[in-house]
Amino acid sequence: MNHISKIFLFLALIGNIAYAQLHDPVSWETSAKKINASEFELLISAEIEEGWHLYSQNVPDGGPIPTTITIKEEKGQFELIGKPTEGEGHEEFDNVFEMNIKYFENKTQFVQKIKVLTDEKITITGVLEFMVCDDTNCLPPTEIDLNFELQGEAGKPEIESVVSDDNKGFLQNTTEDVTGIQESASSNIKAETDTQKITGKPKKEKTKGLWTLFILSFFAGFAALLTPCVFPMIPMTVSFFTKQSKNKSVGIRNAILFGVSIVFLYVLLGTVVTSIFGADSLNALSTNVWFNIIFFLLLIIFAVSFLGAFEITLPSSWGTKVDSQADKGGLIGIFFMALALAIVSFSCTGPIVGTALVAAAAQGGIAPVISMLGFSLAIALPFSIFAAFPGWMNSLPKSGGWLNTVKVFLGFLELALAFKFLSNADLVLQTHFLEREVFIAIWITIFGALALYLFGKIKLPHDSDLPHISVGRLSMGLIVAAFTIYMIPGLWGAPLKLISGFPPPMHYSESSYGVGYTKLGDAGSGTSKEIPDGAHLGPHDILAFLDYETGLAYAKKVNKPIMIDFTGHACVNCRKMEERVWSDPRVLKVLKNDIVLISLYVDDKRELPEEEKYTSSINGKEVTTIGKKWSEFQINKYKANAQPYYVLIDHDEENLNEYSAYNPDADDYLAWLNEGIANFKP
């Protein structure tokens, strides 16, 4: 074997190790707590790895698998008091399942209250079923055995509280068992599994989200800067610093302090909002129905104000008092000048600040602080720069009607964004009042009117006469008009990926497929293909098999490679892949025409026929459902237990390339598909 071959072999091994890992993100403990002579609390505690979340007991039908606790009741020994209770957790609207879903992070505890009916030492057993997900993986529903030992009043006074090895995590035992299988393939797999924890990924995604929020807030601040309330104040501020500063160095120092004061004020606002509501409650608040409706109404008011119907201002007495403090000079005077700027410009900046804070609230954590940092930097930088270098003022455009145009432009944007919040409330309530077609029609109307305004065909109250249209305004009008035309096909079922996440999902519409769409991808042809025995129409009407052997036989018959899709009915990330990646026309074409899809649902609760039930080689328990069969198949054959998980194989069941998992990049996913298909030899 030459050196190049060794390198490729090593890389292939590393690739297999990276994917071949078993996740075990939850550790369980059980204990008992005595309340009085006959009543106890059975405590079931979960320690959850960072980045993963465990679902509540109370998940609506059609959502992820809820946590289910079943205590085996023994007559004459004890009786259950009520149902198991759980911690507060987090609740938010899930766009994939279109419902509010409660989940837990880091740790939680479930409590079942019981009444003991005997004085003897008793053992209580039960079963807990749970499901966990992170940003890229969902694990199949897993069961663990519960075990409690406790003593009645006439026995020992102390409580027999145990933590069984089994209770510390069924998945831990599973991982150890399957690690032995892994070691037979490679002695390095276990070490790699230990070092490649999935917890690093969510941190990276969260950091990326904060950077995105910072940049968007910066642009929002820049937009606020170009409004009639803020832009004209730049020369006034520069004039003040020029007159008050004894020399250039003092002027630069004062300008920097002025900018820092602006940033401090807005960051303080973000900090106050976060501290009052709490980092977690902000996120929950942003998915509340009434909050979304109230903010919809507020944005409508802000938009109407920007369009010129009225002005939103703070009490004039506030500005007067602050101005009197600014006249004192020195550091205090500079700070109050910054505060005066914030108050005077509130009619233009207030709506933008409010929108930015709510957008940040949806992300939770320190997002409001990051948002205000980006917003205030965009406003503070021009004031500080021009105050430090007043000669650069000559390069600024003169104030005029274009400032009002910017304000009106923002008004239209606020109006369009308002309907996003109304849509959120509608999705939670499932009223179907604002379905996808209606939402898109409203946006087409709003942006169409904005295009007409930019072309000078619509005139609003504060607009000056427009003898001609500037090149910049014409260019912006053309962009808005093109965007409006782009949205029109969305009324007939086009995906509109540029605005993905704003309109309701495709299925929340009057016509989920759109006009001219027929089954199996024969759009507009009026024909349909025959569905083979054992197959069904999966996502986007892709032909899919639910049984491995049946799908393998069909693939041999049509002479195509096979893609095994380890998925789940309640797998959030599987639905994301299907909605955002499989819907790509290039990917969809390959999935429909070039491969045979076998979708194996690891959470399929249907019972196996009696003759097909068997004892698990992993945990020694009986495999009784279809889902458990496919979950065990994935673990034994591919040394992985997460979904989504994709494998391309040939007719000899040999891999055509490395495995793939959650990958929102359609280009990468398409390249992976094409690589496997190219390696297929009929």
Side-chain angles (χ1 to χ4, degrees):
M1 181 181 293
N2 59 34
H3 293 298
I4 295 177
S5 299
K6 290 180 179 178
I7 291 172
F8 276 110
L9 181 62
F10 175 74
L11 291 176
L13 177 62
I14 293 299
N16 286 331
I17 289 171
Y19 281 107
Q21 54 178 309
L22 291 165
H23 301 297
D24 179 22
V26 186
S27 297
W28 295 93
E29 283 190 359
T30 59
S31 60
K33 178 182 178 182
K34 194 169 188 177
I35 301 174
N36 53 44
S38 61
E39 292 184 354
F40 291 79
E41 286 182 342
L42 306 181
L43 309 178
I44 308 167
S45 304
E47 291 284 341
I48 309 164
E49 286 185 12
E50 187 177 353
W52 292 82
H53 52 265
L54 170 74
Y55 291 107
S56 164
Q57 299 176 98
N58 307 308
V59 175
D61 292 339
I65 302 296
T67 299
T68 305
I69 299 171
T70 305
I71 303 295
K72 187 177 179 181
E73 206 164 354
E74 295 287 346
K75 291 184 178 180
Q77 290 194 340
F78 70 94
E79 61 183 27
L80 303 178
I81 301 175
K83 296 181 179 180
T85 59
E86 61 187 23
E88 184 177 351
H90 312 277
E91 185 171 337
E92 64 180 42
F93 182 78
D94 190 292
N95 289 318
V96 174
F97 290 105
E98 308 293 354
M99 61 177 67
N100 275 343
I101 295 177
K102 181 180 176 182
Y103 61 90
F104 305 100
E105 293 178 327
N106 301 321
K107 62 181 178 180
T108 190
Q109 188 175 74
F110 302 92
V111 180
Q112 173 64 65
K113 196 172 182 181
I114 66 166
K115 183 177 182 179
V116 177
L117 305 176
T118 179
D119 294 336
E120 298 177 358
K121 184 176 182 179
I122 61 174
T123 299
I124 300 174
T125 59
V127 176
L128 182 144
E129 183 184 42
F130 67 98
M131 178 179 178
V132 289
C133 293
D134 72 350
D135 288 345
T136 59
N137 297 288
C138 286
L139 301 187
T142 306
E143 290 183 354
I144 65 166
D145 293 326
L146 301 175
N147 185 48
F148 307 88
E149 292 184 3
L150 46 92
Q151 185 79 43
E153 179 68 13
K156 296 179 181 179
E158 71 274 6
I159 301 166
E160 295 288 343
S161 174
V162 301
V163 180
S164 167
D165 288 339
D166 290 337
N167 295 336
K168 279 202 168 183
F170 169 78
L171 281 179
Q172 288 179 353
N173 296 334
T174 302
T175 304
E176 292 171 1
D177 292 338
V178 179
T179 299
I181 301 172
Q182 289 175 283
E183 287 174 347
S184 65
S186 169
S187 61
N188 294 325
I189 289 179
K190 187 178 188 300
E192 193 67 27
T193 302
D194 292 338
T195 57
Q196 293 197 7
K197 297 273 186 187
I198 197 70
T199 52
K201 178 95 177 181
K203 287 184 179 179
K204 183 177 179 181
E205 293 294 330
K206 188 171 183 179
T207 303
K208 182 179 178 181
L210 290 175
W211 272 110
T212 301
L213 179 66
F214 175 83
I215 293 170
L216 291 175
S217 299
F218 183 87
F219 281 113
F222 186 72
L225 184 72
L226 301 178
T227 57
C229 316
V230 183
F231 190 82
M233 296 187 70
I234 295 177
M236 294 170 55
T237 305
V238 171
S239 174
F240 173 84
F241 282 119
T242 303
K243 293 177 181 178
Q244 295 294 322
S245 303
K246 298 178 181 179
N247 52 55
K248 186 176 181 179
S249 62
V250 174
I252 293 175
R253 184 203 68 180
N254 291 343
I256 293 174
L257 290 173
F258 181 71
V260 170
S261 298
I262 293 174
V263 172
F264 172 79
L265 287 169
Y266 281 100
V267 170
L268 179 64
L269 174 62
T271 305
V272 169
V273 169
T274 303
S275 60
I276 290 176
F277 293 101
D280 296 327
S281 60
L282 272 173
N283 187 28
L285 185 65
S286 67
T287 56
N288 180 273
V289 172
W290 290 110
F291 176 81
N292 278 283
I293 292 175
I294 291 171
F295 203 76
F296 161 74
L297 296 173
L298 283 176
L299 283 185
I300 293 292
I301 295 172
F302 290 157
V304 172
S305 172
F306 271 177
L307 294 176
F310 52 84
E311 294 287 341
I312 301 175
T313 58
L314 293 174
S316 57
S317 59
W318 291 19
T320 303
K321 291 180 180 179
V322 170
D323 279 337
S324 64
Q325 296 296 321
D327 292 336
K328 293 182 177 180
L331 298 180
I332 295 177
I334 292 172
F335 174 79
F336 277 100
M337 270 194 66
L339 182 58
L341 170 68
I343 292 174
V344 172
S345 62
F346 179 80
S347 60
C348 291
T349 60
I352 303 174
V353 169
T355 306
L357 281 174
V358 171
Q363 193 162 332
I366 62 168
V369 178
I370 299 297
S371 177
M372 289 298 96
L373 178 62
F375 182 89
S376 58
L377 273 177
I379 292 181
L381 281 175
F383 280 93
S384 298
I385 290 172
F386 288 115
F389 306 100
W392 293 3
M393 284 289 298
N394 297 327
S395 61
L396 279 179
K398 302 296 182 183
S399 298
W402 67 273
L403 289 174
N404 190 67
T405 302
V406 172
K407 189 176 179 181
V408 171
F409 185 89
L410 293 174
F412 277 106
L413 292 183
E414 294 269 358
L415 190 61
L417 187 60
F419 285 93
K420 170 59 180 171
F421 290 93
L422 184 61
S423 174
N424 289 344
D426 180 63
L427 284 168
V428 173
L429 295 174
Q430 291 288 295
T431 62
H432 288 265
F433 171 74
L434 196 60
E435 292 182 316
R436 185 178 176 88
E437 293 90 345
V438 178
F439 183 97
I440 293 173
I442 291 172
W443 268 40
I444 289 172
T445 304
I446 292 172
F447 285 98
L450 175 56
L452 292 174
Y453 172 78
L454 292 172
F455 289 142
K457 301 302 181 182
I458 297 176
K459 186 177 179 180
L460 293 173
H462 297 298
D463 288 329
S464 54
D465 293 331
L466 192 66
H468 64 274
I469 299 176
S470 66
V471 174
R473 182 165 179 163
L474 175 63
S475 300
M476 184 58 68
L478 290 172
I479 293 172
V480 174
F483 177 66
T484 305
I485 296 171
Y486 164 80
M487 289 190 290
I488 292 174
L491 297 172
W492 287 271
L496 303 182
K497 291 190 177 182
L498 281 180
I499 57 172
S500 175
F502 282 94
M506 294 287 288
H507 66 267
Y508 196 79
S509 61
E510 296 177 5
S511 175
S512 299
Y513 292 113
V515 177
Y517 188 96
T518 56
K519 298 293 183 183
L520 294 180
D522 294 328
S525 67
T527 63
S528 61
K529 299 177 183 177
E530 183 180 352
I531 300 176
D533 291 339
H536 79 298
L537 294 179
H540 311 291
D541 290 330
I542 302 168
L543 192 68
F545 290 85
L546 298 178
D547 180 75
Y548 180 74
E549 296 297 335
T550 306
L552 180 62
Y554 180 77
K556 292 178 180 178
K557 178 181 177 181
V558 297
N559 202 25
K560 292 181 180 180
I562 301 155
M563 186 176 93
I564 306 176
D565 164 32
F566 289 102
T567 183
H569 295 292
C571 172
V572 179
N573 300 306
C574 303
R575 300 294 83 78
K576 288 179 182 178
M577 283 292 294
E578 294 162 3
E579 181 180 312
R580 301 173 188 177
V581 178
W582 287 17
S583 63
D584 185 286
R586 301 165 300 163
V587 174
L588 192 57
K589 183 179 178 181
V590 172
L591 295 177
K592 285 190 173 184
N593 302 317
D594 300 334
I595 58 102
V596 172
L597 176 65
I598 302 177
S599 294
L600 304 180
Y601 287 83
V602 299
D603 57 358
D604 192 329
K605 295 291 187 180
R606 291 178 297 167
E607 287 280 326
L608 286 168
E610 285 298 325
E611 64 273 13
E612 293 184 21
K613 294 179 180 179
Y614 63 95
T615 301
S616 169
S617 61
I618 298 172
N619 55 35
K621 293 187 176 182
E622 188 178 18
V623 176
T624 58
T625 65
I626 294 174
K628 289 181 180 179
K629 173 185 174 181
W630 299 135
S631 178
E632 183 145 316
F633 173 65
Q634 182 188 9
I635 292 173
N636 282 330
K637 190 171 180 63
Y638 298 108
K639 315 301 181 289
N641 65 340
Q643 294 78 44
Y645 198 82
Y646 309 106
V647 189
L648 286 169
I649 62 172
D650 60 17
H651 298 160
D652 295 324
E653 303 178 60
E654 296 294 331
N655 294 351
L656 294 171
N657 56 357
E658 295 179 0
Y659 319 123
S660 180
Y662 178 82
N663 183 2
D665 190 322
D667 291 331
D668 283 354
Y669 193 78
L670 179 63
W672 173 78
L673 284 171
N674 289 332
E675 178 192 26
I677 293 170
N679 292 335
F680 174 68
K681 293 178 174 55

